Amino acid sequence: MRTHKCGELTKQHTGQTVELCGWVHRRRDHGGVIFIDLRDRTGLVQVVFDPDVHEAFSLAEHVRSEYVLKVKGSVRGRPEGTINPNMGTGEIEVLVSEMVVLNESETPPFPVESEIEVNEELRLRYRYIDLRRFAMQEKMKVRRDVARVLRNFLDDHEFFEIETPYLTKATPEGARDYIVPSRTHENAFFALPQSPQLYKQILMVAGMDRYYQIVRCFRDEDLRADRQPEFTQLDVETSFMDEDEIMHIMEEMIRQLFQKVIGVNLGAHFPRMTYQEAISKYGIDRPDLRIPLELVDIAEDMKNVDFKVFSAPANDPQGRVVAMRLPKGGDLSRKEIDDLTKFVGIYGAKGLAYIKVNDLSAGVDGLQSPIVKFAPAEVWDSVLAKTGAQNGDLIFFGADKASIVNEAMGALRVKLGHDLGLLEGEWKPVWVVDFPMFAWDEKSRRYAAIHHPFTAPKCSIEELQANPGEALSRAYDLVLNGTEVGGGSIRINRPAMQRAVFEILGIKEDEAREKFGFLLDALKYGAPPHGGLAFGLDRLVMLMTGSTSIRDVIAFPKTQSAACPLVSAPAVVPEEQLRELGIKLVKQPGKEKA
């Protein structure tokens, strides 16, 4: 139907007769000559209708936005003074000799050519209109390029692309499974995979050596800007490689990805940081290293002060007291500080103490804060020295349970960094390593796996059983600008170690056999040392396109309530189909019918 795409035409096509198809992006009638910006996925081109070509001109008079057209005409240079440097085809135009209206269009619910903000619910309901916008099509293009570069890299490094099942068995991986009833197996259910974790480990036992898959995964969990109930990840697993070798090859892959797709050089070597260092300095295990602010422990200084807000957590083994210096923060107004106090309250902090450093040479008299009187001068001298405070700085303090301090002060650090424009550099990747194997859950009074129960520890079985709370794992996360983009580990490849980990997690032998018997059996038949990781493809594309939500880089995402406005899903299933599946709906107490 067409000889060229709209955005492909250049001065080299001048004098050629071309046929184009596309949508009416914009129509202008200038004194008897009609101009239409015709749009397809490749871009825009201006097509011109002269009154002398009566039939085409007459049709053009009735064309409106988003009509679908086919035009035939000759390419010519634009008259002097009308060249559009902001348009890829801005040096030429097409003088139309013939036109066919392939389809008409009603007035769209929002203008495609406008950059105005549109309600997200409306965008998702009319996603086919939203995706026509150049900004969205560019994001889809980046997504396509990302997948292509990743595939090419892994193919070149002898990885096999292997598909794993979508209908599988429910396994505990930290989130709820989506359950699929089986018609052919009465009262039995499949589950949609949260990840292909167990299948890819079994592929290593099968001798596949290097596996990858760009795969859809499903988690029935609460949503955030960087989460969806169904998402895409690049899943990778290898045999006979340790964590250093895996991180090295994956680092090279990510480096090439950014260079080839968006022309960004991430540097020759990604730094590594232990989990403990990340928590200590930044309060979070996915630090944004572009922000120069750091948390400084001052518990030792505060153990004997009269101020119980500081001394109580300083003497509590589960507590933490930190200071964070904000250079030139003394310029913040009282209202701005009050707003920051409300902000940390979201994370459980009971307040936000601070000191303004007016004059270091004046000692305590040069400090401005109601808390100065609660500690002797030598304490504040030590705090000022540890934080590196200068005149004009503001020092914020956090004191509470360590978990609250880390979360609140970590979030405050990020907020100040972005709000005050403190970012240093555009891209800062870092590997976070040496995660704890387990975290103690006070509510259930048991250990939970930090990553998943198939992650190998850095110690022996005896050391693990003797002190599980101190055990470190062979896990590693890749963090970019404060976002975890990938995470993985060396896996357990010996049945005895896997049973020991299950026991610490409170998974009894019969439960382990029921849920993971196939894996335990596979490990008995010469399972090689293996490990891998998974990258969130949606998150990578989100970062690479400068988007603030992964919904903007997924063609058909769900809303915050895990619904699809486009097709009105989820939806009620007919009673007949439920009966065939042996399912009876029961209204949950306190919940209204959807």
Side-chain angles (χ1 to χ4, degrees):
M1 293 182 71
R2 59 186 176 183
T3 60
H4 297 77
K5 296 185 179 73
C6 295
E8 293 176 345
L9 298 181
T10 67
K11 286 180 69 175
Q12 279 66 44
H13 295 95
T14 301
Q16 294 184 24
T17 298
V18 298
E19 296 182 29
L20 308 171
C21 294
W23 287 263
V24 175
H25 190 68
R26 191 179 292 110
R27 176 187 176 278
R28 306 178 301 281
D29 191 334
H30 290 176
V33 178
I34 297 174
F35 299 90
I36 287 178
D37 290 339
L38 196 65
R39 182 191 74 242
D40 65 14
R41 195 188 69 192
T42 64
L44 295 172
V45 66
Q46 178 172 282
V47 297
V48 184
F49 297 84
D50 192 286
D52 292 340
V53 185
H54 178 73
E55 185 176 349
F57 186 85
S58 179
L59 285 172
E61 286 184 306
H62 299 91
V63 160
R64 296 294 178 265
S65 291
E66 299 310 305
Y67 274 38
V68 188
L69 308 181
K70 175 184 177 181
V71 301
K72 181 178 180 181
S74 59
V75 180
R76 68 182 187 184
R78 290 202 190 190
E80 188 175 344
T82 65
I83 291 175
N84 184 351
N86 299 317
M87 195 171 173
T89 60
E91 292 184 299
I92 56 94
E93 61 188 15
V94 177
L95 182 61
V96 177
S97 57
E98 299 176 23
M99 183 180 80
V100 177
V101 177
L102 298 175
N103 209 344
E104 299 177 349
S105 173
E106 295 183 4
T107 301
F110 48 86
V112 173
E113 77 276 7
S114 174
E115 296 299 322
I116 61 172
E117 290 292 324
V118 180
N119 175 272
E120 186 178 60
E121 183 86 13
L122 186 66
R123 287 177 56 200
L124 296 184
R125 184 177 302 135
Y126 296 94
R127 191 61 163 180
Y128 43 86
I129 300 294
D130 191 42
L131 286 172
R132 291 181 187 176
R133 298 193 297 164
F134 283 128
M136 291 302 299
Q137 295 203 349
E138 184 59 31
K139 289 172 183 177
M140 293 301 108
K141 178 180 178 294
V142 170
R143 188 182 180 103
R144 177 206 65 183
D145 293 345
V146 164
R148 181 168 56 193
V149 170
L150 292 173
R151 276 196 170 97
N152 289 342
F153 179 91
L154 292 166
D155 289 344
D156 290 344
H157 286 77
E158 299 181 342
F159 284 79
F160 275 25
E161 183 171 13
I162 304 175
E163 295 177 339
T164 53
Y166 277 172
L167 294 177
T168 183
K169 186 177 184 179
T171 57
E173 288 197 38
R176 289 181 292 271
D177 290 310
Y178 278 101
I179 302 300
V180 181
S182 171
R183 181 184 59 81
T184 54
H185 297 80
E186 188 175 359
N187 298 329
F189 297 83
F190 294 105
L192 299 179
Q194 295 185 34
S195 82
Q197 179 63 43
L198 299 181
Y199 284 108
K200 66 180 181 179
Q201 287 191 244
I202 288 173
L203 284 171
M204 296 303 101
V205 180
M208 297 311 300
D209 197 76
R210 294 187 179 191
Y211 141 96
Y212 83 92
Q213 183 181 189
I214 295 179
V215 60
R216 299 289 279 180
C217 300
F218 307 85
R219 292 179 187 173
D220 187 6
E221 59 185 352
D222 296 332
L223 304 184
R224 298 200 300 259
D226 60 347
R227 288 191 179 175
Q228 280 278 291
E230 54 178 322
F231 57 96
T232 304
Q233 68 183 36
L234 171 68
D235 207 50
V236 179
E237 198 77 4
T238 69
S239 294
F240 307 113
M241 295 179 74
D242 62 23
E243 46 266 66
D244 287 334
E245 292 171 305
I246 293 172
M247 284 189 278
H248 175 76
I249 194 171
M250 292 296 101
E251 183 177 313
E252 180 58 30
M253 180 184 73
I254 295 299
R255 189 180 293 109
Q256 286 193 25
L257 174 69
F258 273 71
Q259 184 65 59
K260 291 182 177 181
V261 176
I262 60 173
V264 165
N265 182 0
L266 291 179
H269 178 69
F270 296 177
R272 296 186 186 183
M273 176 182 298
T274 66
Y275 169 88
Q276 190 55 49
E277 182 184 357
I279 294 296
S280 177
K281 287 185 176 180
Y282 309 111
I284 195 169
D285 61 5
R286 50 183 193 281
D288 189 341
L289 298 187
R290 298 173 301 168
I291 301 169
L293 310 180
E294 292 187 5
L295 309 184
V296 177
D297 282 295
I298 57 169
E300 287 299 319
D301 299 289
M302 297 297 172
K303 283 185 175 180
N304 298 314
V305 302
D306 293 332
F307 195 33
K308 287 190 176 180
V309 172
F310 282 3
S311 61
N315 288 284
D316 182 353
Q318 305 299 319
R320 191 178 186 197
V321 186
V322 302
M324 182 173 68
R325 169 190 168 230
L326 177 63
K328 306 301 180 186
D331 294 335
L332 292 182
S333 68
R334 180 57 188 266
K335 182 183 182 307
E336 288 173 315
I337 295 175
D338 288 344
D339 289 342
L340 294 174
T341 303
K342 292 177 184 177
F343 174 77
V344 296
I346 298 171
Y347 300 92
K350 300 179 182 68
L352 183 62
Y354 66 91
I355 288 178
K356 285 188 177 183
V357 183
N358 294 329
D359 184 1
L360 282 173
S361 64
V364 173
D365 292 336
L367 304 180
Q368 179 183 342
S369 172
I371 70 169
V372 172
K373 61 186 177 184
F374 293 114
E378 56 266 24
V379 167
W380 299 121
D381 288 341
S382 177
V383 170
L384 294 173
K386 287 180 177 179
T387 58
Q390 302 294 322
N391 289 339
D393 291 349
L394 189 67
I395 302 175
F396 288 111
F397 297 89
D400 210 312
K401 293 292 184 184
S403 58
I404 293 175
V405 171
N406 291 336
E407 194 168 358
M409 296 300 287
L412 176 64
R413 173 182 173 273
V414 172
K415 180 175 176 60
L416 290 172
H418 285 271
D419 289 356
L420 301 180
L422 303 179
L423 303 188
E424 297 178 349
E426 189 175 0
W427 301 97
K428 290 286 182 73
V430 60
W431 287 104
V432 179
V433 299
D434 289 349
F435 285 84
M437 271 292 289
F438 309 108
W440 180 255
D441 188 334
E442 283 290 344
K443 188 174 182 180
S444 62
R445 305 298 299 172
R446 59 190 287 185
Y447 283 108
I450 292 286
H451 277 75
H452 54 61
F454 318 109
T455 297
K458 284 190 139 184
C459 58
S460 67
I461 293 177
E462 293 74 21
E463 291 170 323
L464 184 71
Q465 292 172 330
N467 199 351
E470 297 298 319
L472 298 180
S473 70
R474 298 177 69 181
Y476 35 83
D477 284 357
L478 181 59
V479 177
L480 183 59
N481 292 359
T483 296
E484 178 201 332
V485 295
S489 67
I490 299 300
R491 323 302 186 187
I492 298 169
N493 73 312
R494 294 179 179 270
M497 178 63 84
Q498 188 63 77
R499 283 194 295 268
V501 169
F502 283 159
E503 287 172 7
I504 292 170
L505 294 172
I507 301 174
K508 303 299 183 185
E509 190 168 345
D510 55 347
E511 183 185 356
R513 169 56 52 183
E514 178 189 352
K515 293 181 176 178
F516 308 111
F518 59 95
L519 176 65
L520 293 172
D521 288 342
L523 295 181
K524 294 187 296 185
Y525 292 96
H530 61 281
L533 75 171
F535 290 96
L537 190 136
D538 307 306
R539 289 186 184 181
L540 280 170
V541 179
M542 177 183 75
L543 290 173
M544 295 171 80
T545 59
S547 303
T548 56
S549 166
I550 62 172
R551 293 190 295 278
D552 279 342
V553 299
I554 298 173
F556 302 105
K558 303 294 188 290
T559 63
Q560 287 274 11
S561 61
C564 177
L566 177 66
V567 299
S568 299
V572 174
V573 175
E575 289 286 343
E576 180 182 352
Q577 189 173 356
L578 292 176
R579 282 196 300 271
E580 191 176 18
L581 294 167
I583 295 176
K584 182 179 180 180
L585 300 182
V586 177
K587 182 180 177 182
Q588 296 184 42
K591 286 193 175 183
E592 295 296 325
K593 185 176 180 180

